[in-house]
Amino acid sequence: MYKTNDMKLSQFKFKLPEELIAQYPAPYRDDARLLVLHRKTGEVEHKMVTDTVLYFDEGDLFVLNDSKVFPARLYGHKEKTNALIEVFLLRELNHRLRYWDVLVEPARKIRIGNKLTFDGDSAIVAEVIDNTTSRGRTFRFLTDYDNEEFVPRLYALGQAPLPSYIHRPMDEKSLEEFNTLFHGQPVDEMDNERYQTIFATKVGAVAAPASGLHFSKQLLKRLEIRGVDTTFMTSHVSLGIFKDIDVEDLTKNKMESEQIILPDAMVQAVNKAHEGMHRVCAVGTEVMRAMEHVVGTNGMLKTYDGWTNKFIYPPYHFSAANSFFVNLYMPQSSQLLMVAAFAGYEETMNAYNEAVKEGYRFGDYGDAMLIVD
């Protein structure tokens, strides 16, 4: 048995067969499996996402992330050599000057002064004006489009920013399986729809708040009929969510900052639920992180508009939520560490081993997990 006061990264390693990493979502949002973990007893149940409503009652509250993913991945050609360069948009730095913080691949081919053109819109050119990290660059986009027209035109060049562990084989069998599941819908069109929650309204994320992808209109309606409330906050998920932890000593790990907005209506709803001794369910690790960033010693939240780089790992005492709806995460990921901090290390790893044994699907397009008392 491990002591949780000196946890190391290697303790969160488990064998995940590659075939269990979901390459496509379930045909319907709520048509996924649900691993239910009772953290007080360690009991595990095998359900479906549609069964989520059975664990909540009138007055309970779900906290959801309304951040919207923008099509951050695009491909350009380097002037003169025509080399293909992958560009991943991170954030807009200056709207008027059209400065953007980006990642590029292969980075060795892109230097200050280089320019890129893009298939599909010859009126947009990107110039590299600074190096920020080994792969990071600052781009200035050159175009005759006015500021209001430019960003939609730029987004039109992009694709859904799927995580790197989604690498689909385009052989005949795979395409046939995909066409059967999604009735011949084009893959890009499917991703643009499904790698986005149905309640996404605030543009700014470069990765989906994946736990929320399971929520359909029908599931939200069933929660409403049961008397379960929902409220929304914003956490613009960054690429840091997929960044490997590269230190064994977890006290030395640093998280990338994410912009979070906890509006007054959401804060009041959570505080009211706590006062009424109801369940508060955080949907996704980014929601839990944001709430824990602002929760007071009395367990009450406060409004906030700013940034957080909070890193949660065992041992940690949670005050903002008492249930947790999440996806099944990669080995040694920051999300898995947070789940273990909430549910208990041994309980979490036992549940994950059970999920692997039962063939659950992992990752952003995978199955889900509900942790309750």
Side-chain angles (χ1 to χ4, degrees), residues 67 70 90-91 93 101 204-207 233-243 253-261 285-286 289-290 293 304-312 334:
S67 181
F70 63 89
L90 296 178
R91 62 184 62 85
L93 300 175
D101 190 14
V206 296
M233 54 145 289
T234 305
S235 178
H236 289 316
V237 187
S238 74
L239 274 187
I241 205 75
F242 300 123
K243 184 180 179 182
N253 184 57
K254 303 295 183 185
M255 291 288 290
E256 289 188 19
S257 294
E258 292 184 352
Q259 185 181 11
I260 58 174
I261 303 169
T285 56
E286 73 285 346
R289 177 186 296 110
H293 181 84
Y304 184 80
D305 186 344
W307 297 77
T308 181
N309 64 350
K310 191 175 185 68
F311 175 46
I312 298 176
S334 62

Side-chain angles (χ1 to χ4, degrees), residues 89-118:
L89 303 172
L90 296 178
R91 62 184 62 85
E92 185 181 49
L93 300 175
N94 186 304
H95 183 68
R96 182 177 63 84
L97 297 177
R98 302 184 182 116
Y99 286 0
W100 281 74
D101 190 14
V102 307
L103 296 177
V104 293
E105 187 68 37
R108 67 184 184 279
K109 293 187 176 182
I110 299 299
R111 299 175 181 174
I112 294 174
N114 290 160
K115 292 182 180 179
L116 299 179
T117 58
F118 301 91

Side-chain angles (χ1 to χ4, degrees), residues 201-346:
T201 55
K202 311 291 194 316
V203 177
V206 296
S211 302
L213 298 178
H214 294 289
F215 286 76
S216 63
K217 290 180 180 179
Q218 292 80 2
L219 180 56
L220 290 174
K221 189 64 178 179
R222 290 183 65 204
L223 288 168
E224 180 186 346
I225 292 171
R226 198 172 178 89
V228 178
D229 297 320
T230 55
T231 190
F232 298 91
M233 54 145 289
T234 305
S235 178
H236 289 316
V237 187
S238 74
L239 274 187
I241 205 75
F242 300 123
K243 184 180 179 182
D244 291 336
I245 299 175
D246 55 9
V247 290
E248 175 71 357
D249 182 354
L250 296 175
T251 64
K252 292 181 168 56
N253 184 57
K254 303 295 183 185
M255 291 288 290
E256 289 188 19
S257 294
E258 292 184 352
Q259 185 181 11
I260 58 174
I261 303 169
L262 287 78
D264 185 60
M266 171 263 181
V267 167
Q268 289 191 32
V270 172
N271 291 343
K272 179 182 176 182
H274 279 310
E275 290 168 353
M277 304 297 288
H278 296 291
R279 272 189 171 147
V280 175
C281 184
V283 178
T285 56
E286 73 285 346
V287 169
M288 184 70 85
R289 177 186 296 110
M291 292 200 294
E292 287 295 323
H293 181 84
V294 304
V295 70
T297 55
N298 60 354
M300 297 291 112
L301 301 188
K302 58 184 178 181
T303 57
Y304 184 80
D305 186 344
W307 297 77
T308 181
N309 64 350
K310 191 175 185 68
F311 175 46
I312 298 176
Y313 62 96
Y316 184 88
H317 176 71
F318 290 82
S319 303
N322 45 36
S323 53
F324 207 4
F325 185 101
V326 288
N327 275 28
L328 290 164
Y329 299 114
M330 298 295 109
Q332 299 181 306
S333 62
S334 62
Q335 301 104 310
L336 173 58
L337 269 62
M338 187 189 296
V339 169
F342 184 83
Y345 172 76
E346 302 246 350

